[in-house]
Every structure is written in C-alpha cells, then in structure tokens.
Amino acid sequence: MSLDADLLRTRLAGTRWDRIEVVEATGSTNADLVSRATTESVGGESIGGTVRITTDQTAGRGRHARTWTAPAGTQLAMSAAIDVGDHTEHLGWLSLLAGLAAVQGVDDAMGVRPTLKWPNDVLIDGKKVAGILSEYTRTEHGPSGPGGVAVIGTGLNTTMAAEQLPVPTATSLGLATGRDVPLTDLAASYLRALSDLLDLWPHDLDGLAARYRDSSDTIGRRVRLVLPGDREVVGTATGVDHSGRIVVDVDGEQVVAAAGDVTHLRPE
C-alpha cells in the first residue's frame, strides 16, 4: 500500500496540521523541518503546523545521535512542527505524548494496542516497533515575535521482514499482526491523535501523565536505569510524575530521572 497525500489531507482537516508534505524519499524528515524552522520564520511565516512524511528515510536519527535506518518502503517516517513560543519548561513531554499518539494511531489503524517503554519506545509484545525524536529550535522571528519551534519525529516500522530488522528486539507492524499495513490510515490516525494530545500540552500535564501511565509497560517492572554520566541504578519503576520523569524505587530510595535509558529486567 502507498501513501495517498490527498486523502491524508482530507482526513486531517480540522486538526492543527495545515501543511502536509509527502515526499518519495529524504535523508531525515526531522532534519528537513529543523533546517527550515529558522529560515522560514525570518519572512514572518511559521513552520508550525507542517508535517513531512516519507516511506524512504535514508539518514534517520534517534536519541543520543543513534542511527535509525530501514530499507526503502518498510518504514513510515513522520515529522511534525509546532510553535512552542516560550513554553520550554516541559519540552520533554513532547516525545512522551508522541509515544501516546503512536499507541493510539496503531490501535485505530491496525486493531492492536502497543505499550510504552519509558521514555518513548513503542512496543508490541515487548519488541520495539517505533522510535521517537523531538528537537527544539530557538527562533528570533515569527508571527508573534521571538520564540521556538519543536519538531516531533516518529519512525514506525511497517513492513520490515524478519531478516531486515536492525536488532533482535525490534519488530514491524506487518510481522506483529500478520496483516497489510494501511499507510494512509496509520499516518492519519497517528497525526490526529498527536494533534489532540498537543491540545493538553502544556496546560494539563496531570492528564497526560495519567494517560501515559495507562499505556506504560515500564511501571511495575524491575528495571535498570542508566542516567546521564553513566550512573546506573536497578530497582522497581513505580510511576511517571507530572513532569514526565520516571520514578524508580531503589531499596526504598526514590530515584527520579528526566533522562536516561531503561532496560526491562526479569523479576528476581
């Protein structure tokens, strides 16, 4: 199945996404929009509300500058730009709510509901089906003066075969469900969910946190948390707080982290 750009625009009417760009291939949809965030604002236009989509991303990036690649046609890469102005205190939530949007989008389009490994890995049966990267660019011009633009990027593995998976802990929607992947439906469902969730940001973070906890596969698990600076702790993940930070009980001590890598461990 291929992406139907016209149908996608129709399906997204009434959302915050007023410019939908479907391209055959690009290096990185995130990099494309980030590079335009400053230049387009110089002319008084904002890139906010722009979505860029491809099924062939050749130089995708994940957190910590990790590469994220897939054979042509086996991944749906989507980046969405939003104006955040001076609301920078809770930028970390953008990747988490994008994970929530992916959960809802996959559920709506495929009839299977993924879970989330903190902070934003999207899992089906414990295997990663999507990765997310959000980036912030400060701008000095724009319709309402200085502010900033965030670009939220999501890459969903759609039709990768088993031998094409980058690591044994990954999967694709086709492999996980045994069904064809309706790309236009999937993109529309994800982007509509993302638009709705952004209506809650940054004004209803408690509501976002509650939704995140409902979809979390990390809370309640024994985990290894590697913090910035390579400090490592092992304990039980007990929650995600108002700021989207993970809370881990380590022998009675509550370790709270806004950034880090989590590994799910087997129960002792």
Side-chain angles (χ1 to χ4, degrees), residues 3 5 8-9 12-13 15-23 26 28-30 32-34 36 40 46-54 76-82 149-154 184 186-195 198:
L3 273 168
L8 184 58
R9 293 184 183 100
L12 292 174
T15 68
R16 66 180 61 234
W17 314 124
D18 53 23
R19 183 162 52 173
I20 312 296
E21 303 172 353
V22 177
V23 296
T26 190
S28 164
T29 54
N30 255 38
D32 290 347
L33 294 187
V34 168
R36 287 160 49 186
E40 292 196 11
S46 171
I47 198 174
T50 300
V51 173
R52 192 164 176 84
I53 306 176
T54 189
L76 185 60
M78 301 173 283
S79 293
I82 64 167
V149 172
V151 175
I152 306 168
T154 298
T184 304
L186 178 61
S189 297
Y190 163 77
L191 289 166
R192 183 168 286 277
L194 183 61
S195 181
L198 284 167

Side-chain angles (χ1 to χ4, degrees), residues 17 21 25 49 51 57 73 110 130 146 157 164 178 194 211 214 217 240 256-257:
W17 314 124
E21 303 172 353
V51 173
Q57 180 171 253
M110 301 292 298
N157 295 337
Q164 295 174 314
L194 183 61
R211 294 190 187 201
D214 286 344
D217 191 40
V240 171
V256 181

Side-chain angles (χ1 to χ4, degrees), residues 98-108 112-116 122 190 215:
L100 281 172
V103 167
Q104 189 62 53
V106 170
D107 192 9
D108 290 346
V112 59
R113 191 167 186 85
T115 56
L116 295 170
V122 184
Y190 163 77
S215 293

Side-chain angles (χ1 to χ4, degrees), residues 86-107:
D86 290 325
H87 295 295
T88 57
E89 183 180 356
H90 298 293
L91 286 174
W93 257 113
L94 297 179
S95 291
L96 275 68
L97 66 83
L100 281 172
V103 167
Q104 189 62 53
V106 170
D107 192 9

Side-chain angles (χ1 to χ4, degrees), residues 109-144:
M110 301 292 298
V112 59
R113 191 167 186 85
T115 56
L116 295 170
K117 179 166 79 75
W118 187 90
N120 50 36
D121 283 354
V122 184
L123 309 179
I124 296 180
D125 296 330
K127 294 188 174 183
K128 185 174 178 177
V129 74
I132 294 164
L133 176 66
S134 296
E135 300 179 88
Y136 171 74
T137 300
R138 177 74 179 177
T139 59
E140 296 303 325
H141 304 275
S144 55

Side-chain angles (χ1 to χ4, degrees), residues 65-79:
R66 295 166 181 154
T67 57
W68 180 268
T69 60
T74 64
Q75 184 190 78
L76 185 60
M78 301 173 283
S79 293

